[in-house]
Coordinates of all heavy atoms in Angstrom, one line a residue:
M250 N 89.7 123.6 79.6 CA 90.6 123.7 78.5 C 91.8 124.5 78.9 O 91.7 125.6 79.5 CB 89.9 124.4 77.3 CG 90.8 124.6 76.1 SD 89.8 125.4 74.8 CE 91.0 126.3 74.0
H251 N 93.0 123.9 78.7 CA 94.3 124.5 79.2 C 94.9 125.2 78.0 O 95.2 124.6 77.0 CB 95.2 123.5 79.8 CG 96.5 124.0 80.2 ND1 96.6 124.9 81.3 CD2 97.7 123.8 79.8 CE1 97.9 125.2 81.5 NE2 98.6 124.6 80.5
L252 N 95.2 126.5 78.0 CA 95.9 127.2 77.0 C 97.4 127.2 77.2 O 97.8 127.5 78.3 CB 95.4 128.6 76.9 CG 93.9 128.8 76.5 CD1 93.5 130.3 76.5 CD2 93.6 128.2 75.1
S253 N 98.1 127.0 76.2 CA 99.6 127.0 76.3 C 100.1 128.5 76.3 O 99.3 129.4 76.0 CB 100.3 126.3 75.2 OG 100.0 126.9 74.0
A254 N 101.3 128.7 76.7 CA 101.9 130.0 76.7 C 101.9 130.6 75.3 O 101.7 131.8 75.1 CB 103.2 130.0 77.3
L255 N 102.1 129.8 74.3 CA 102.2 130.3 72.9 C 100.8 130.7 72.4 O 100.7 131.8 71.8 CB 102.7 129.1 72.0 CG 102.9 129.5 70.5 CD1 103.9 130.6 70.4 CD2 103.3 128.3 69.7
T256 N 99.7 130.0 72.8 CA 98.4 130.4 72.5 C 98.0 131.7 73.2 O 97.4 132.6 72.5 CB 97.4 129.3 72.9 OG1 97.8 128.0 72.3 CG2 96.0 129.6 72.4
K257 N 98.4 131.8 74.4 CA 98.1 133.1 75.1 C 98.8 134.3 74.5 O 98.2 135.4 74.3 CB 98.5 133.0 76.6 CG 97.7 132.0 77.4 CD 98.2 132.0 78.8 CE 97.4 131.0 79.7 NZ 97.9 130.8 81.0
Y258 N 100.0 134.0 74.1 CA 100.8 135.1 73.4 C 100.1 135.5 72.1 O 100.1 136.6 71.7 CB 102.2 134.6 73.2 CG 103.1 135.7 72.6 CD1 103.5 136.8 73.4 CD2 103.7 135.6 71.4 CE1 104.3 137.8 72.9 CE2 104.5 136.5 70.9 CZ 104.8 137.6 71.6 OH 105.7 138.6 71.1
A259 N 99.7 134.5 71.3 CA 99.0 134.8 70.0 C 97.7 135.5 70.2 O 97.4 136.5 69.5 CB 98.7 133.4 69.3
V260 N 96.9 135.2 71.2 CA 95.7 135.9 71.5 C 96.1 137.4 71.9 O 95.4 138.3 71.5 CB 94.9 135.2 72.6 CG1 93.7 136.1 73.1 CG2 94.4 133.9 72.1
K261 N 97.1 137.5 72.7 CA 97.5 138.9 73.2 C 97.9 139.7 72.0 O 97.6 140.9 71.9 CB 98.6 138.7 74.2 CG 99.1 140.0 74.7 CD 100.2 139.8 75.7 CE 100.8 141.1 76.2 NZ 101.9 140.9 77.1
L262 N 98.7 139.1 71.1 CA 99.1 139.9 69.9 C 97.9 140.2 69.0 O 97.9 141.3 68.4 CB 100.1 139.0 69.1 CG 101.5 139.0 69.6 CD1 102.4 138.1 68.7 CD2 102.1 140.4 69.6
S263 N 97.0 139.3 68.8 CA 95.8 139.7 68.0 C 95.0 140.8 68.6 O 94.5 141.7 67.8 CB 95.0 138.4 67.8 OG 94.4 138.1 69.0
F264 N 94.9 140.9 69.9 CA 94.2 142.0 70.5 C 95.0 143.3 70.4 O 94.4 144.3 70.1 CB 93.8 141.7 71.9 CG 92.7 140.8 72.1 CD1 92.8 139.6 72.8 CD2 91.4 141.2 71.7 CE1 91.7 138.8 72.9 CE2 90.3 140.4 71.8 CZ 90.4 139.2 72.4
M265 N 96.3 143.2 70.5 CA 97.1 144.4 70.3 C 97.1 144.9 68.9 O 97.1 146.1 68.7 CB 98.5 144.0 70.7 CG 98.7 143.9 72.2 SD 100.4 143.3 72.7 CE 101.4 144.6 72.0
Q266 N 97.0 144.0 67.9 CA 97.0 144.5 66.5 C 95.7 145.2 66.2 O 95.7 146.1 65.4 CB 97.2 143.3 65.6 CG 98.6 142.8 65.6 CD 98.8 141.7 64.7 OE1 97.9 141.1 64.1 NE2 100.1 141.3 64.4
T267 N 94.6 144.8 66.7 CA 93.3 145.4 66.5 C 93.4 146.9 67.0 O 92.8 147.8 66.4 CB 92.1 144.7 67.0 OG1 92.3 144.5 68.4 CG2 92.0 143.3 66.3
G268 N 94.0 147.0 68.2 CA 94.1 148.4 68.7 C 95.0 149.3 67.9 O 94.8 150.5 67.8
V269 N 96.1 148.7 67.3 CA 97.0 149.4 66.5 C 96.4 149.9 65.2 O 96.6 151.0 64.7 CB 98.3 148.6 66.2 CG1 99.2 149.3 65.2 CG2 99.1 148.4 67.5
Q270 N 95.5 149.1 64.6 CA 94.9 149.4 63.4 C 94.0 150.7 63.5 O 94.0 151.5 62.6 CB 94.0 148.2 62.9 CG 94.9 147.1 62.3 CD 94.0 145.9 61.9 OE1 92.8 145.9 62.2 NE2 94.6 144.9 61.4
T271 N 93.3 150.8 64.6 CA 92.5 152.0 64.8 C 93.3 153.2 65.1 O 93.0 154.3 64.7 CB 91.5 151.8 65.9 OG1 92.1 151.5 67.1 CG2 90.5 150.7 65.6
A272 N 94.5 153.0 65.7 CA 95.3 154.1 66.0 C 96.1 154.6 64.8 O 96.6 155.7 64.8 CB 96.2 153.8 67.2
S273 N 96.4 153.7 63.8 CA 97.2 154.1 62.7 C 96.5 154.7 61.5 O 97.0 154.7 60.4 CB 98.0 152.9 62.3 OG 97.2 151.9 61.7
N274 N 95.2 155.0 61.7 CA 94.5 155.6 60.6 C 95.1 156.9 60.1 O 95.0 157.2 58.9 CB 93.0 155.8 61.0 CG 92.2 154.5 61.0 OD1 92.6 153.5 60.4 ND2 91.1 154.5 61.7
A275 N 95.7 157.6 61.0 CA 96.3 158.9 60.6 C 97.5 158.6 59.6 O 97.7 159.4 58.7 CB 96.8 159.7 61.8
G276 N 98.2 157.6 59.8 CA 99.3 157.2 59.0 C 98.9 156.7 57.7 O 99.6 156.8 56.7
E277 N 97.8 156.0 57.6 CA 97.3 155.4 56.4 C 96.9 156.5 55.3 O 96.9 156.2 54.1 CB 96.1 154.5 56.6 CG 96.5 153.3 57.4 CD 95.3 152.4 57.7 OE1 94.1 152.7 57.2 OE2 95.4 151.4 58.3
R278 N 96.6 157.7 55.8 CA 96.2 158.7 54.8 C 97.4 159.2 54.0 O 97.2 159.8 53.0 CB 95.6 159.9 55.6 CG 94.2 159.7 56.1 CD 93.7 160.9 56.8 NE 94.3 160.9 58.1 CZ 94.0 161.8 59.0 NH1 93.2 162.8 58.7 NH2 94.5 161.8 60.2
M279 N 98.6 159.0 54.5 CA 99.8 159.4 53.8 C 100.3 158.3 52.8 O 101.3 158.6 52.1 CB 100.9 159.7 54.8 CG 100.6 161.0 55.6 SD 100.4 162.4 54.6 CE 102.0 162.6 53.9
V280 N 99.7 157.2 52.8 CA 100.2 156.1 52.0 C 100.1 156.4 50.5 O 101.1 156.3 49.7 CB 99.5 154.8 52.3 CG1 99.9 153.7 51.3 CG2 99.9 154.3 53.7
V281 N 99.0 156.8 50.0 CA 98.7 157.1 48.6 C 99.6 158.3 48.1 O 100.2 158.1 47.1 CB 97.2 157.3 48.3 CG1 97.0 157.8 46.9 CG2 96.4 156.1 48.7
P282 N 99.6 159.4 48.8 CA 100.5 160.5 48.3 C 102.0 160.1 48.2 O 102.7 160.4 47.3 CB 100.3 161.6 49.2 CG 99.0 161.4 49.9 CD 98.8 159.9 49.9
T283 N 102.4 159.4 49.3 CA 103.8 158.9 49.3 C 104.1 158.0 48.2 O 105.1 158.0 47.5 CB 104.1 158.3 50.7 OG1 103.8 159.2 51.7 CG2 105.6 157.9 50.8
A284 N 103.2 157.0 47.9 CA 103.4 156.1 46.8 C 103.4 156.8 45.5 O 104.2 156.4 44.6 CB 102.2 155.0 46.9
L285 N 102.6 157.8 45.3 CA 102.6 158.5 44.0 C 103.9 159.3 43.8 O 104.4 159.4 42.7 CB 101.4 159.5 44.0 CG 100.0 158.8 43.8 CD1 98.9 159.9 43.9 CD2 99.9 158.0 42.5
I286 N 104.4 159.9 44.9 CA 105.6 160.6 44.8 C 106.8 159.7 44.5 O 107.6 159.9 43.6 CB 105.9 161.4 46.1 CG1 104.9 162.5 46.3 CG2 107.3 161.9 46.2 CD1 104.9 163.2 47.6
L287 N 106.8 158.5 45.1 CA 107.9 157.6 44.9 C 107.8 157.0 43.5 O 108.8 156.7 42.8 CB 107.9 156.5 45.9 CG 108.3 156.9 47.3 CD1 108.1 155.7 48.3 CD2 109.8 157.3 47.3
A288 N 106.6 156.7 43.0 CA 106.4 156.2 41.6 C 106.8 157.2 40.6 O 107.5 156.9 39.6 CB 104.9 155.8 41.4
G289 N 106.5 158.5 40.8 CA 106.9 159.6 39.9 C 108.4 159.7 39.9 O 109.0 159.9 38.8
F290 N 109.0 159.6 41.1 CA 110.5 159.7 41.1 C 111.1 158.5 40.4 O 112.1 158.6 39.7 CB 111.0 159.7 42.6 CG 112.4 159.7 42.8 CD1 113.1 160.9 42.5 CD2 113.1 158.6 43.2 CE1 114.5 161.0 42.7 CE2 114.5 158.7 43.4 CZ 115.2 159.8 43.1
G291 N 110.6 157.3 40.6 CA 111.1 156.1 39.9 C 111.0 156.2 38.4 O 111.9 155.9 37.6
L292 N 109.8 156.7 37.9 CA 109.6 156.9 36.5 C 110.6 157.9 35.9 O 111.1 157.8 34.8 CB 108.2 157.2 36.2 CG 107.2 156.1 36.3 CD1 105.8 156.7 36.2 CD2 107.4 155.0 35.3
G293 N 110.8 159.0 36.6 CA 111.7 160.0 36.2 C 113.1 159.5 36.1 O 113.8 159.8 35.1
L294 N 113.5 158.7 37.1 CA 114.9 158.2 37.1 C 115.0 157.2 36.0 O 116.1 157.1 35.3 CB 115.1 157.5 38.5 CG 116.6 157.0 38.7 CD1 117.5 158.2 38.7 CD2 116.6 156.4 40.1
S295 N 114.0 156.4 35.7 CA 114.1 155.4 34.6 C 114.2 156.1 33.3 O 115.0 155.7 32.4 CB 112.9 154.5 34.7 OG 112.9 153.7 35.8
S296 N 113.4 157.1 33.1 CA 113.4 157.8 31.8 C 114.8 158.5 31.6 O 115.3 158.5 30.5 CB 112.3 158.8 31.7 OG 112.4 159.8 32.6
F297 N 115.3 159.1 32.7 CA 116.6 159.7 32.6 C 117.7 158.7 32.2 O 118.5 158.9 31.4 CB 117.0 160.3 33.9 CG 118.4 160.9 34.0 CD1 118.7 162.0 33.3 CD2 119.4 160.2 34.7 CE1 120.0 162.5 33.4 CE2 120.7 160.7 34.8 CZ 121.0 161.8 34.1
S298 N 117.6 157.5 32.8 CA 118.6 156.4 32.5 C 118.5 156.0 31.1 O 119.5 155.7 30.4 CB 118.4 155.3 33.5 OG 118.6 155.6 34.8
M299 N 117.2 155.8 30.6 CA 117.0 155.4 29.2 C 117.6 156.4 28.2 O 118.2 156.1 27.2 CB 115.6 155.1 29.0 CG 115.0 153.9 29.7 SD 115.8 152.4 29.2 CE 115.2 152.2 27.5
K300 N 117.4 157.7 28.5 CA 117.9 158.8 27.7 C 119.4 158.7 27.7 O 120.1 158.9 26.6 CB 117.4 160.1 28.1 CG 115.9 160.4 27.8 CD 115.5 161.7 28.3 CE 114.0 161.9 28.1 NZ 113.6 163.2 28.6
K301 N 120.0 158.5 28.8 CA 121.4 158.5 29.0 C 122.0 157.3 28.2 O 123.0 157.4 27.5 CB 121.8 158.4 30.4 CG 123.2 158.7 30.8 CD 123.5 160.1 30.7 CE 124.8 160.4 31.4 NZ 125.2 161.8 31.2
M302 N 121.3 156.1 28.3 CA 121.8 155.0 27.5 C 121.7 155.2 26.0 O 122.5 154.7 25.3 CB 121.0 153.7 28.0 CG 121.4 153.2 29.3 SD 120.4 151.8 29.9 CE 120.2 150.8 28.5
A303 N 120.6 155.9 25.6 CA 120.4 156.1 24.2 C 121.5 157.0 23.6 O 121.8 156.9 22.4 CB 119.0 156.6 23.9
C304 N 122.0 157.9 24.4 CA 122.9 158.9 23.9 C 124.4 158.4 23.8 O 125.2 158.9 23.1 CB 122.9 160.2 24.8 SG 121.4 161.1 24.6
T305 N 124.7 157.4 24.7 CA 126.0 156.9 24.7 C 126.3 155.9 23.6 O 125.3 155.1 23.3 CB 126.4 156.3 26.1 OG1 125.4 155.2 26.3 CG2 126.3 157.3 27.2
P306 N 127.5 155.8 23.0 CA 127.7 154.8 22.0 C 127.8 153.4 22.6 O 128.1 153.2 23.8 CB 129.1 155.2 21.4 CG 129.7 156.1 22.5 CD 128.6 156.7 23.2
S307 N 127.5 152.5 21.8 CA 127.4 151.1 22.3 C 128.8 150.6 22.6 O 129.8 150.7 21.9 CB 126.8 150.2 21.2 OG 126.8 148.8 21.7
R308 N 128.9 149.9 23.8 CA 130.2 149.4 24.2 C 130.3 147.9 23.8 O 131.2 147.2 24.1 CB 130.4 149.5 25.7 CG 130.6 151.0 26.1 CD 130.8 151.2 27.5 NE 130.9 150.0 28.3 CZ 130.8 150.0 29.7 NH1 130.7 151.1 30.3 NH2 130.9 148.9 30.4
R309 N 129.2 147.4 23.3 CA 129.1 145.9 23.0 C 130.2 145.5 22.0 O 130.9 144.5 22.1 CB 127.7 145.6 22.4 CG 127.5 144.1 22.3 CD 126.1 143.9 21.9 NE 125.9 142.4 21.9 CZ 124.8 141.9 21.5 NH1 123.8 142.6 21.1 NH2 124.6 140.6 21.6
S310 N 130.4 146.4 20.9 CA 131.4 146.0 19.9 C 132.8 146.0 20.5 O 133.6 145.2 20.2 CB 131.3 147.0 18.8 OG 131.6 148.3 19.2
S311 N 133.1 147.0 21.5 CA 134.4 147.0 22.1 C 134.6 145.8 23.0 O 135.7 145.3 23.1 CB 134.6 148.3 22.8 OG 133.7 148.4 23.9
L312 N 133.5 145.3 23.6 CA 133.6 144.1 24.5 C 133.9 142.9 23.6 O 134.6 142.0 24.0 CB 132.4 144.0 25.3 CG 132.2 145.0 26.4 CD1 130.8 144.8 27.1 CD2 133.3 144.9 27.5
L313 N 133.3 142.8 22.5 CA 133.4 141.7 21.6 C 134.9 141.6 21.1 O 135.4 140.5 20.8 CB 132.4 141.7 20.5 CG 131.0 141.4 20.9 CD1 130.1 141.5 19.7 CD2 130.9 140.0 21.4
R314 N 135.5 142.8 20.8 CA 136.9 142.8 20.3 C 137.8 142.3 21.4 O 138.9 141.8 21.0 CB 137.2 144.2 19.9 CG 136.7 144.6 18.5 CD 137.3 145.9 18.1 NE 136.2 146.8 17.8 CZ 136.1 148.0 18.2 NH1 137.1 148.6 18.8 NH2 135.0 148.7 17.9
M315 N 137.5 142.5 22.6 CA 138.4 142.1 23.7 C 138.5 140.6 23.8 O 139.4 140.0 24.2 CB 138.0 142.7 25.0 CG 138.1 144.2 25.1 SD 137.5 144.9 26.6 CE 138.7 144.3 27.8
L316 N 137.4 139.9 23.4 CA 137.3 138.4 23.5 C 138.1 137.9 22.3 O 138.8 137.0 22.2 CB 135.9 137.9 23.5 CG 135.1 138.4 24.7 CD1 133.6 137.9 24.5 CD2 135.6 137.7 25.9

């Protein structure tokens, strides 16, 4: 059986990825805390934007007058 260069490259990449997965376990421990921090920041920013929009008067009526 003759393997093409593309097949050899795919096999090489698959072996390299299995080695990376075991080496990256230290980085995987930071995924959940980082995701929680980013989610909290996003919720805080969204609530701030909603409060800001609720306090400002509506510009829809002024836009309709321009038409």
Side-chain angles (χ1 to χ4, degrees):
M250 180 176 149
H251 178 68
L252 296 175
S253 67
L255 185 61
T256 307
K257 289 178 184 178
Y258 186 66
V260 170
K261 181 180 177 183
L262 281 179
S263 67
F264 281 119
M265 287 175 57
Q266 286 179 350
T267 56
V269 170
Q270 287 175 352
T271 57
S273 69
N274 285 340
E277 289 178 5
R278 286 182 280 182
M279 291 300 295
V280 171
V281 173
T283 304
L285 289 175
I286 291 170
L287 289 174
F290 180 72
L292 286 173
L294 187 62
S295 295
S296 64
F297 173 75
S298 299
M299 291 298 291
K300 288 179 185 177
K301 194 78 167 169
M302 284 175 44
C304 291
T305 58
S307 177
R308 294 183 358 195
R309 187 175 188 184
S310 60
S311 63
L312 290 175
L313 289 175
R314 279 189 239 138
M315 293 175 72
L316 295 175

